[in-house]
């Protein structure tokens, strides 16, 4: 947007709603973007290039820029590659992709049913049923999964009781609990964008295709999914980014051997006491997520402006 | 369409398989939807049930005694209550800041041209996509930097966890409220503003008297959403909260370091509140819709159409206020009944039963050990599994085993399956049950086996 | 004080598109003035320019002699009834009506009183506490007018206010609007694409086409003496006969139509036609009559093609082959004389004309003084 464009836009606010509203709109938006979004991110970016100094030395002669924090993620300090942390990063990204796909498979049919399979009171009830569980705290939802998947949890009790398996299965160590919990956490962010996109579809179009004898999967592949694509892109981006950045569910449901990358960052901040190192890791996480998202958008040919609609 | 249907119907052989296939698909879809909602609600329902089981580990089976004791614990937990108070203040602050910002952003979007809009929209949506912990870290570092450059100490506002948390949360919750306002503003008819101006209103008056009232429902839902998102946020808060705590961070540390039914009880309270709010809201919505319909019918067919609607009793019953009163009465009654309910008799009986059981087992084991001692110093774990003597049946068998292990005072009598994973939160498969037996006794009876290292007090040693 | 509205060479452009092209006219104080034209011809744009939502790209808008440039809509003595009414859905009817007073800081009591008065004026005394959505279409219409009147404008601008109503209500509201205008004595500037509305209600009508004002006249003059071929064909039904001038005597023009008929008409705007010039002759269907036995000009031999019956009127389609006494004889069936179109004749259903069988032969005529001759071309002016 050119400076002139900005000026025209601002003069339009002032003209349309008067000076009071104009100042309020431009002021609030500017404060939000500058003070709450851009500057903090820059501060984090800057911090990731600094040494971990005691507070007294910050701003002093030893407060210099360094790449050591990034080097620590890449190298293990003995001339080798830091496979441990890089592995965690890779596994986190892969797992997030997996959870995103799982969410898509679960949510697409639901969104479609919501848009075209029900109406009136039943649709309202369905929406209510979708929303209400998410009014419950994320921590509590994770806790519920722990009750279910614990080795003496409900699932094991049922499985053992029915004789399906002989010894308790450790679903938490197997990361089953983690995936179930993460998939659950961001369901809504997948359903509603798809719903919004699919709802615009003319029902006659589907029926016409059915009438012409198309099997149901072809109707979806050729007619519904193209319409749903912006919604799917939007939902998948949100689910992926938020899953990769999740902390609560991995902390509560993660197995002992499978760390989430966010947990590494958390450790650098809380237990390690090395904020610059943690910042560097956070920057890497952010960049990795953005990279994967942009890559996926490239592959599936969607634009970021379509997200959140 | 119908002609085509007739043709197909006439050729019955073609038509019938089509019908069969469709209904088969519908059935599958129905099953899927049912399974989906089971996935959504199952965990909540199970968690709810565990809140009423007297067992120390939140579980459904085996069922010990119906109890309401876990609810009482919540009320006495000062950490949680302090966190709750902080969460409330933070939520309030977030609502007060993120609503105006979201509103301003939505107005900005609705006013700018096509190209500027997509750019601005991207900027506004970014905070939703940023990982929460990135926002938290960035906020923490930035305001620390500001404080540092002004030479402010650690006791000032810029280091205050509540202040930082509000700012960190506002960063992304503003995007949520922007989306809500935007959805509403897009349905605003701009000629409304022009009409107001034309009638002599200043632009400011047009904003206050026409646009703002139109946005009022969005203000309500944005406020509720912002508050809920604030209270439940963990990823950002855990960094920005510094030395303070919120409801969610307290809850998280409880869940991470110890898992007990008190947390289920908290969940039950939250779920109940949610449900009550949802039902009242639904009643309100229906009433509004009905009123609107009625008014339209009134225009079309005169006053007589009103009689078509439900009678006075039905109307009174479906009024949101009476729905609210009814629900609150039910909940209040349940709370009252629950607070008077005493499960100690049942628990005592159960304890006695178990103690007795344990005695028997100890006795058996001692006898067996005496017989086997010369030949085999270690007990045979596998022999414990199919205990025919257990009165609790197969499901309970591991329980017995778990008890017998420490009770037997043998160094390592655990079955082989459990041995390799003692570090896991559930490493000792039987630990929680073990705990379940020993803890309720804690209040009424002495510990069964003080010397035994039973299960760890919290079966979730943090992996970090 | 005079509250004339003057448009001085007003041109409004959106980018390269010219929505209003050189509008130049004066609307007199107290007049019921209509802009009539097909949709998309720039009527709304012009009205928004008068009410202050748009500034003209060129030219000036004067109200009461004052240049309105830079004066916002909230400070002009105009009130606009929007095409979609733009009533405030969240306010009651009375609050809607009193809005103009509210923003001026008038007290609650006075507002209430004025709302009641205005509700009386629009004959809806008891709807003040209702919500807008509880009203019917016609009631909303009147409430919108009352709301505009509450602002005490000197000029009321109405943008197709009746287009959303059904036919019966529309006709009722026409007389209603006219009555309200007489009662309050304001200038009404009315926009419509419905010629019936424009002709029945207005003191004067401006006919617009593609941003240009084609003719400003009293309704009767617009209908009877269209100044351009667009006006002639847009306002009312008409027969168009492409023709070539053969002779002229003052304003009387003799022509040969492309079908070979010799007809006489009058030159609109006293235009001096030369022999051989291409032009068009416009004759209204109701001006075409069954010829009396005695001789006269414009006697055409015709054959009935079809008849449509519309209650009070009978519409007859005729094939005309030549002038009686000219090329002689009734035309062959199927021969079309009038630029490929049959000649349309409308007769009042008063029993004077016996039923017509298809294929029946008859002689029709029209008076040269009602046959407007205009130069050829869709936008040509006399
Ligand atoms: N804001 C605008 N931007 C661009 N073109 C416009 C705008 N408003 C109207 N137009 C164009 O100007 C022409 C006249 O429109 P309008 O005045 O609404 O016609 P009418 O009211 O006679 O139907 C139309 O072609 C329309 O597309
Ligand atoms: Mg228009």
């Amino acid at each position: 947007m050119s400076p002139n464009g900005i000026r025209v836009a601002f003069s339009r606010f002032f003209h349309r709603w008067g000076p009071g509203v104009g100042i309020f709109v431009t002021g609030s938006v500017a404060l939000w973007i500058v003070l709450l979004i851009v500057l903090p991110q820059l501060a984090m970016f800057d911090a990731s290039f600094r040494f971990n100094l005691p507070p007294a030395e910050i701003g002093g002669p030893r407060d210099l820029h360094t790449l050591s924090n990034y080097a620590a993620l890449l190298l293990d300090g003995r001339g080798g590659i830091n496979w441990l942390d890089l592995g965690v990063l890779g596994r986190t990204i892969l797992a997030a992709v997996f959870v995103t796909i799982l969410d898509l498979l679960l949510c697409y049919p639901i969104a479609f049913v919501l848009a075209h399979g029900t109406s009136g009171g039943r649709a309202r009830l369905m929406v209510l049923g979708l929303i209400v569980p998410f009014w419950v705290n994320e921590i509590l939802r994770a806790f519920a999964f722990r009750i279910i998947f614990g080795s003496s949890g409900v699932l094991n009790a049922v499985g053992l009781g029915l004789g399906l398996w002989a010894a308790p299965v450790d679903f938490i160590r197997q990361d089953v609990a983690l995936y179930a919990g993460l998939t659950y956490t961001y369901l809504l962010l997948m359903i509603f964008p798809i719903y919004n996109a699919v709802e615009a579809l003319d029902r006659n179009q589907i029926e016409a295709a059915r009438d012409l004898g198309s099997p149901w999967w072809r109707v979806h592949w050729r007619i519904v999914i193209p319409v749903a694509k912006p919604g799917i892109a939007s939902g998948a981006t949100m689910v992926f980014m938020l899953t990769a950045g999740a902390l609560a569910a991995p902390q509560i449901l993660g197995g002992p051997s499978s760390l989430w990358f966010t947990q590494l960052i958390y450790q650098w901040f809380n237990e390690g006491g090395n904020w610059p190192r943690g910042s560097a890791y956070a920057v890497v996480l952010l960049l990795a997520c953005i990279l994967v998202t942009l890559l996926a958008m490239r592959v599936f040919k969607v634009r970021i402006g379509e997200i959140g609609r | 369409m119908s002609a085509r249907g007739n043709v197909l119907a006439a050729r019955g052989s073609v038509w019938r398989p089509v019908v069969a296939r469709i209904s088969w698909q519908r059935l599958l879809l129905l099953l899927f939807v049912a399974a989906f909602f089971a996935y959504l609600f199952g965990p909540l329902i199970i968690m709810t049930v565990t809140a009423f089981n007297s067992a120390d580990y939140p579980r459904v089976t085996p069922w010990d005694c119906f109890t309401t004791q876990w609810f009482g614990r919540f009320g006495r937990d000062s950490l949680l209550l302090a966190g709750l108070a902080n969460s409330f203040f933070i939520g309030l602050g977030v609502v007060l800041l993120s609503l105006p910002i979201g509103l301003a952003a939505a107005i900005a979007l609705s006013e700018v041209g096509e190209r500027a809009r997509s750019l601005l929209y991207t900027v506004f949506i970014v905070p939703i996509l940023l990982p929460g912990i990135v926002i938290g870290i960035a906020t923490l570092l930035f305001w620390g930097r500001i404080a540092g450059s002004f030479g402010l100490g650690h006791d000032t506002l810029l280091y205050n966890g509540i202040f930082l948390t509000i700012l960190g949360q506002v960063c992304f919750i503003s995007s949520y409220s922007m989306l809500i306002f935007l959805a509403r503003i897009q349905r605003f008819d701009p000629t409304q503003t022009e009409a107001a101006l034309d009638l002599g209103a200043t632009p400011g008056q047009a904003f206050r008297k026409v646009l703002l009232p139109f946005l009022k429902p969005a203000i309500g839902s944005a406020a509720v959403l912002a508050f809920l998102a604030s209270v439940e946020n963990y990823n950002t808060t855990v960094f920005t909260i510094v030395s303070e705590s919120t409801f969610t961070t307290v809850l998280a540390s409880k869940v991470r370091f110890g898992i007990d039914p008190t947390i289920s009880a908290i969940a039950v309270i939250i779920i109940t509140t949610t449900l009550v709010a949802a039902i009242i809201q639904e009643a309100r919505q229906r009433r509004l819709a009905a009123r609107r319909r009625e008014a339209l019918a009134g225009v079309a067919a005169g006053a007589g159409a009103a009689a078509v609607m439900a009678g006075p009793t039905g109307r009174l019953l479906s009024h949101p206020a009476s729905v609210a009163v009814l629900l609150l009465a039910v909940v209040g009654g349940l709370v009252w009944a629950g607070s008077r309910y005493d499960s100690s008799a049942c628990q005592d009986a159960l304890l006695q039963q178990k103690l007795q059981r344990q005695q028997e087992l100890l006795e058996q084991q001692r006898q067996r050990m005496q017989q086997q001692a010369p030949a085999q110093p270690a007990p045979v774990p596998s022999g414990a599994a199919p205990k025919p003597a257990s009165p609790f049946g197969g499901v309970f068998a591991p329980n017995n085993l778990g008890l017998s292990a420490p009770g037997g005072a043998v160094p390592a009598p655990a079955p082989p399956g459990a041995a390799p994973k003692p570090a896991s939160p559930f490493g000792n498969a039987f630990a929680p049950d073990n705990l379940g037996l020993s803890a309720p006794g804690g209040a009424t009876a002495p510990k069964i086996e003080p010397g035994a290292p039973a299960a760890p007090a919290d079966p979730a040693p943090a992996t970090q | 004080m005079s509250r004339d509205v003057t448009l001085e060479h007003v041109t409004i452009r959106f980018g390269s598109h010219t929505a209003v092209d050189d509008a130049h006219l004066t609307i007199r104080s107290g007049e019921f003035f209509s802009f009539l034209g097909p949709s998309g011809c720039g009527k709304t744009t012009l009205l928004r320019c008068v009410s202050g939502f748009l500034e003209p790209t060129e030219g000036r808008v004067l109200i009461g002699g004052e240049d309105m440039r830079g004066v916002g809509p909230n400070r002009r003595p105009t009130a606009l009834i929007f095409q979609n009414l733009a009533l405030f859905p969240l306010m009651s009817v009375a609050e809607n009506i009193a809005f103009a007073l509210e923003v001026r800081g008038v007290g609650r009591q006075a507002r209430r009183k004025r709302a009641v008065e205005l509700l009386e004026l629009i004959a809806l005394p008891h709807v003040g506490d209702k919500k807008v959505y509880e009203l019917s279409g016609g009631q909303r219409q009147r409430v919108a007018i009352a709301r505009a009147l509450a602002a005490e404008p000197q000029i009321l601008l109405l943008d197709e206010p009746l287009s959303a109503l059904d036919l019966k209500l529309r006709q009722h509201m026409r007389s209603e609007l006219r009555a309200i205008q007489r009662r309050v004595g304001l200038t009404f500037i009315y926009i419509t694409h419905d010629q019936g509305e424009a002709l029945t209600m207005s003191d004067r009508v401006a006919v617009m086409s593609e941003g240009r004002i084609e003719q400003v006249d009293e309704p009767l003059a617009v209908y009877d003496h269209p100044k351009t071929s667009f006006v002639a064909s847009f306002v009312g039904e008409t027969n168009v006969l492409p023709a070539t001038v053969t002779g002229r005597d003052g304003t009387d023009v003799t022509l040969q139509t492309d079908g070979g008929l010799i007809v006489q008409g009058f030159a609109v705007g006293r235009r001096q036609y030369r022999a051989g010039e291409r032009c068009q002759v416009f004759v209204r269907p109701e001006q075409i009559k069954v010829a009396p036995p005695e001789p006269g000009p414009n006697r055409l031999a015709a054959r009935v093609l079809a008849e449509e019956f519309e209650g009070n009127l009978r519409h007859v389609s005729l094939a005309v082959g030549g002038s009686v006494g000219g090329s002689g004889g009734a035309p062959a069936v199927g021969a079309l004389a009038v630029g490929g179109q049959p000649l349309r004749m409308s007769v009042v259903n008063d029993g004077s004309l016996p039923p017509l069988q298809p294929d029946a032969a008859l002689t029709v005529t029209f008076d040269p003084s009602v046959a407007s001759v205009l130069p050829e071309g869709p936008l040509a002016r006399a």
Side-chain angles (χ1 to χ4, degrees), chain B residues 44-69:
Chain B
L44 304 184
I45 291 169
I46 286 168
M47 182 160 56
T48 304
V49 172
T50 62
F52 297 98
N53 190 353
S54 67
D56 246 16
Y57 178 82
R59 66 181 183 198
V60 176
T61 54
W63 187 262
D64 287 359
C65 289
F66 179 87
T67 181
T68 53
Q69 65 193 18

Side-chain angles (χ1 to χ4, degrees), chain C residues 39-40 42-45 83 159-160 191:
Chain C
S39 97
K43 305 180 300 287
T44 299
T45 306
Q83 201 158 2
D159 188 355
E160 311 217 14
I191 276 187

Side-chain angles (χ1 to χ4, degrees), chain C residues 286 288-290 307-316 345-356:
Chain C
E286 68 270 18
I288 294 177
K289 310 225 155 55
V290 176
E307 180 174 0
E308 287 164 26
F309 172 64
E310 193 201 291
N312 56 339
L313 288 176
R314 294 163 63 186
H315 303 290
V316 186
M345 173 174 81
S346 296
V347 198
V348 178
N349 183 20
D350 58 359
S352 59
L353 185 68
L356 294 169

Side-chain angles (χ1 to χ4, degrees), chain C residues 173-185:
Chain C
M173 283 302 293
R174 282 183 197 173
S175 41
E176 190 91 353
L177 272 179
R178 186 68 182 157
I180 290 174
Q181 195 255 345
R182 293 237 167 80
R183 237 175 293 158
V184 296

